[in-house]
């Protein structure tokens, strides 16, 4: 059975959603994904970072 790439992507998104992942359509470019990850990393480790965000070199 041949399956379109679009159908496969939609099935993957649905499966990940059932596992607690959230589809973020606005993160549609690599640089946006990296920036989002950096924000989350800083936010979730703010106590370990002593309130100082990671520099470009540290990230």
């Amino acid at each position: 059975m041949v399956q379109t790439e679009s159908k496969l992507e939609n099935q993957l998104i649905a499966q990940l959603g059932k596992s607690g992942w959230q589809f973020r359509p606005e993160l549609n470019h690599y640089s946006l994904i990296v920036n989002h990850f950096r924000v989350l990393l800083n936010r979730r480790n703010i106590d370990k970072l002593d309130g100082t965000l990671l520099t470009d070199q540290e990230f």
Side-chain angles (χ1 to χ4, degrees):
M1 179 174 136
V2 177
Q3 180 171 308
T4 66
E5 183 176 353
S6 176
K7 186 173 181 178
L8 179 64
E9 287 174 355
N10 289 333
Q11 288 176 339
L12 178 59
I13 290 167
Q15 184 177 358
L16 290 172
K18 291 176 186 175
S19 299
W21 290 85
Q22 181 183 14
F23 178 57
R24 301 281 308 269
E26 72 276 13
L27 299 177
N28 57 6
H29 190 272
Y30 179 75
S31 62
L32 294 172
I33 294 169
V34 170
N35 188 54
H36 178 68
F37 175 71
R38 184 175 184 167
V39 168
L40 291 177
L41 187 64
N42 279 313
R43 185 182 306 153
R44 292 181 180 167
N45 292 287
I46 197 74
D47 56 330
K48 294 175 186 164
L49 297 171
D50 215 15
T52 304
L53 301 179
L54 293 172
T55 65
D56 289 341
Q57 187 174 13
E58 291 169 326
F59 181 70

